[in-house]
């Protein structure tokens, strides 16, 4: 009896299902068809979080923050008004068809009562290295710096979802067609601790300039600063036309990366290259020039037609090549330039590729200017004069170089003819960026040894009653590591000279090369050398302490 009851119950249930199906599919078919036809199908892109940009010591320098977006076409505005959670300005935006960004707390409350919240992302930048990191535009596409060069890895892939919208605007349902794929994290070669010291040291001077510190054995850029800086956040959040005009027209040009995009007279720092040219062309480094503080240029008849002063008016006395580098004797290099001739200077410069782009992985690199007689005729319509060669021999006149090109020069000396392509990215996702030789120069090893010893004299030769000290001795005399360096003071037409210091350390087994350039900073033995000392001190302090933070397994915050 009991079994018969259950069978009857099952039969009745089946009959009811058949009746309901008949009702929906046959009797109410037209009504449901009209409802389905009224539904609108929309394809919505689901944003992907961009990868994080880390410093080599693990600090997140650029990352995405989650934002909660209220879209007017996804929700009933009257219902939103009744919640009392939105301000009048926010409600006005919704009525006007604009989206509204919410904080997490309100987003959670609204989502619990059926309000649809869209999750998006906002790029957030740290306070350092804007010329390295760059920025994204309002569409979250990289448009400068690492954000631009490595955009294809950082941006990830957008997802797609399909939503069915009722005539009233309410979403009836949604289907995820494909989930977003987050971008890959990027680890820079930049050490945030050294970068901060570089930025503060340059900022304290209060003048525009640039700093580069690199690993000579890999090409990794450990610190790179261009001053003044800019705030990349304004580009990510959306820049008004007025803000853009203010930035782009600023006298201090904060958007220019001076390390790779600005070229200057190198002053005496270029004497390293001309010393190489001398040794390659058979000049005896022990041959002396008697420096009286002034050089008189005479024509073929022996008549003095021009005089060129040394920076030391009383002169340096008998000076050979090593001393000329140590004390930066202009009179020696005036005569060396004339002895070699402009063609030999240009030939060696081209062989070493000093006035060419280094192919660093940052946008906007320009090359310097290596003038020649042919160049001068094409640009000015005038012939090349001996005075042009004289000025060129001390890094003045038409000669221009970028700071990163000077980094190449000192790196070649430090690494005995090998220069690795400079790069600011160490790892993309799980893939490591390997060192790549950009230039290899084969010369007699004694040339590199000679230059190193002369550059060490610049920072360590104390001097005595008869001999002047190195031009940077007073800066580095108490430095615990041996530094090979060269100062440069480049005269300008509009104020104080530019201050240069280039070098590498430790001199006997070089690890890092450094270039500091301060616009209108005065003597190279002043502002630039002092900044270089602070940065090198921080580098060796961290090395001695063994501080290193692994960054191999970080996720988006």
């Amino acid at each position: 009896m009991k079994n018969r009851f259950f069978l009857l119950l099952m039969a009745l249930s089946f009959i009811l299902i058949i009746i309901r199906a008949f009702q929906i599919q046959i009797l109410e078919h037209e009504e449901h068809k009209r409802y389905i036809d009224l539904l609108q199908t929309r394809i919505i892109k689901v944003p992907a979080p961009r990868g994080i940009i880390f410093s080599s010591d693990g600090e997140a320098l650029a990352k995405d923050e989650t934002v909660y977006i209220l879209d007017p076409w996804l929700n009933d505005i009257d219902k939103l008004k009744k919640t009392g959670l939105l301000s009048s300005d926010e409600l006005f935006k919704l009525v006007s068809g604009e989206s509204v960004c919410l904080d997490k707390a309100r987003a959670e409350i609204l989502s619990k009562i059926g309000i649809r919240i869209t999750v998006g992302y906002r790029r957030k930048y740290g306070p350092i290295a804007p010329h390295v990191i760059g920025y994204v535009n309002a569409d979250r596409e990289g448009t400068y710096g690492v954000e631009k060069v490595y955009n294809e890895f950082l941006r990830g892939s957008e997802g797609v979802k399909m939503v069915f919208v009722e005539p009233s605007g309410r979403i009836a349902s949604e289907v995820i067609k494909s989930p977003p794929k987050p971008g890959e994290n990027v680890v820079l070669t930049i050490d945030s601790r050294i970068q901060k010291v570089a930025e503060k040291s340059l900022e304290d001077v209060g003048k525009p300039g640039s700093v580069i510190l690199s690993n000579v054995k890999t090409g990794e850029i450990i610190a790179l600063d261009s001053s003044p800086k800019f705030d990349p956040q304004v580009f990510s959040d959306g820049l008004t036309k007025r803000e853009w005009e203010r930035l782009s027209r600023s006298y201090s040009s904060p958007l220019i990366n001076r390390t790779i995009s600005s070229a200057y007279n190198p002053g005496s720092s270029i004497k390293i290259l001309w010393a190489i040219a001398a040794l390659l062309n058979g000049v005896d480094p022990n041959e002396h020039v008697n420096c009286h503080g002034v050089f008189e240029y005479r024509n073929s008849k022996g008549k003095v037609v021009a005089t060129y002063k040394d920076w030391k008016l009383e002169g340096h006395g008998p000076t050979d090549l090593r001393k000329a580098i140590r004390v930066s004797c202009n009179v020696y290099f005036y005569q060396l330039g004339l002895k070699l001739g402009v063609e030999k200077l240009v030939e060696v410069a081209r062989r070493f590729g000093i006035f060419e782009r280094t192919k660093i992985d940052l946008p906007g690199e320009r090359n310097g200017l290596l003038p020649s007689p042919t160049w001068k005729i094409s640009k000015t319509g005038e012939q090349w004069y001996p005075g042009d060669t004289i000025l060129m021999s001390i890094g003045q006149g038409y000669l221009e170089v970028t700071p990163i090109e000077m980094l190449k020069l000192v790196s070649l000396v430090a690494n005995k003819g090998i220069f690795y392509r400079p790069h600011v990215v160490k790892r993309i996702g799980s893939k490591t960026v390997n060192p790549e030789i950009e230039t290899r120069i084969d010369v007699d090893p004694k040339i590199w040894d000679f230059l190193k010893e002369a550059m060490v004299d610049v920072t360590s030769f104390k001097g005595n009653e008869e001999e002047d000290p190195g031009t940077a001795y007073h800066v580095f005399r108490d430095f615990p590591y041996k530094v090979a360096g060269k100062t440069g003071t480049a005269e300008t037409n509009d104020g104080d000279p530019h201050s240069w210091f280039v070098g590498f350390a430790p001199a006997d087994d070089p690890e890092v090369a450094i270039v500091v350039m301060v616009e209108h900073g005065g003597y190279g033995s002043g502002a630039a050398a002092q900044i270089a000392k602070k940065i090198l001190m921080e580098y060796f302090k961290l090395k001695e302490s063994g501080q290193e933070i692994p960054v191999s397994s970080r996720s988006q915050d």
Side-chain angles (χ1 to χ4, degrees), residues 6 46 48-49 53 67 85 94 114 120 141 159 180 246 260 279 304 343 353 402 419 421 508 520 530 538 547:
F6 280 119
V46 182
I53 299 177
V67 292
L85 294 173
L94 290 171
E141 289 293 315
R246 179 180 59 81
I260 64 173
L279 295 171
V304 176
E343 291 81 7
T402 64
F419 174 65
R421 186 177 69 84
D508 293 330
H520 306 293
Q530 293 286 357
E538 180 67 13
Q547 296 181 46

Side-chain angles (χ1 to χ4, degrees), residues 190-498:
I190 300 293
D191 186 298
S192 69
R193 299 159 296 186
I194 300 174
Q195 179 73 22
K196 289 171 185 175
V197 171
E199 292 187 11
K200 187 178 187 308
S201 299
L202 196 51
E203 184 180 335
D204 287 346
V205 174
K207 295 183 178 181
S210 57
V211 168
I212 320 174
L213 180 73
S214 72
N215 183 327
V216 298
K217 297 177 181 178
T218 64
E220 293 183 354
I221 302 297
I222 301 169
L224 186 152
D225 182 42
S226 176
S227 181
K229 299 191 297 182
F230 64 91
D231 182 6
Q233 201 64 56
V234 298
F235 293 91
S236 176
D237 294 345
L239 197 64
T240 66
K241 183 178 180 181
R242 178 175 293 182
E243 288 172 329
W244 167 250
E245 289 178 349
R246 179 180 59 81
L247 274 172
S248 60
R249 295 178 181 178
S250 172
Y251 176 76
S252 59
S253 303
L255 297 180
I256 294 177
N257 185 346
R258 286 168 160 80
T259 62
I260 64 173
S261 302
S262 295
Y264 312 85
N265 289 142
S268 294
S269 62
I270 202 64
K271 290 174 181 176
I272 300 169
L273 181 60
W274 303 149
I276 295 173
L279 295 171
L280 287 174
N281 284 280
V283 172
D284 182 359
N286 298 313
E287 183 180 342
H288 286 77
V289 166
N290 199 7
C291 173
H292 297 290
V294 65
F295 170 66
E296 296 178 338
Y297 177 72
R298 300 174 184 272
N299 62 17
S300 58
K301 298 179 180 180
K303 181 181 178 181
V304 176
V305 294
T307 57
Y308 298 88
K309 295 180 180 179
D310 194 278
W311 67 267
K312 187 178 181 183
L313 297 181
E314 62 271 30
H316 300 281
T319 303
D320 60 11
L321 180 56
R322 180 165 173 173
K323 178 181 175 180
I325 293 172
R326 182 183 84 231
V327 300
S328 202
C329 177
N330 286 343
V331 168
Y332 181 96
F333 279 92
Y334 292 149
Q335 297 181 61
L336 176 65
L338 290 173
K339 184 175 184 177
L340 292 174
V342 62
E343 291 81 7
K344 291 292 184 183
L345 298 180
V346 170
E347 177 187 329
V348 171
R350 286 176 176 165
R351 178 181 173 186
F352 280 65
I354 301 304
F355 297 87
E356 300 171 2
R357 292 179 179 88
T358 64
K359 304 181 183 69
I360 188 173
D361 53 343
L362 287 174
E365 183 182 14
R366 60 162 289 185
N367 55 295
L369 173 59
L370 177 62
S372 67
T374 303
W375 172 87
K376 187 180 179 186
I377 289 175
S378 67
K379 292 297 182 180
T380 69
E382 297 181 0
Q383 69 181 49
W384 187 271
Y385 295 105
D388 294 323
T389 303
I390 290 172
L391 292 177
M392 184 173 170
S393 68
I394 62 164
Q396 297 287 164
Y398 298 111
L399 193 74
E400 291 184 349
V401 66
T402 64
I404 200 164
E405 289 170 345
M406 289 305 299
L407 183 80
K408 178 176 183 177
L409 175 58
V410 291
S411 297
L412 282 168
V413 177
N415 230 17
K416 296 189 175 182
I418 294 176
F419 174 65
Y420 289 92
R421 186 177 69 84
H423 57 282
V424 297
V425 168
K426 181 190 290 283
R427 191 161 62 250
I428 306 168
S430 59
K431 182 182 178 182
T432 300
V433 177
N434 295 317
E436 174 189 340
I437 294 178
E438 193 271 340
T439 299
R440 185 191 296 271
I441 303 292
D442 293 320
V443 300
D444 187 339
K446 292 180 181 178
I447 292 179
W448 306 126
D449 293 337
F450 175 87
L451 289 168
K452 182 195 77 173
E453 292 168 1
M455 292 173 69
V456 168
D457 285 349
V458 171
T459 64
S460 64
F461 188 81
K462 185 177 181 179
N464 49 49
E465 292 181 359
E466 297 180 355
E467 295 290 345
D468 293 329
T471 54
Y473 169 74
H474 68 286
V475 176
F476 287 94
R477 59 186 171 187
D478 58 347
F479 198 74
Y481 290 85
K482 189 185 290 187
V483 176
K486 183 70 190 80
T487 57
T489 305
E491 299 295 333
T492 66
N493 295 322
D494 56 349
D496 292 334
H498 297 328

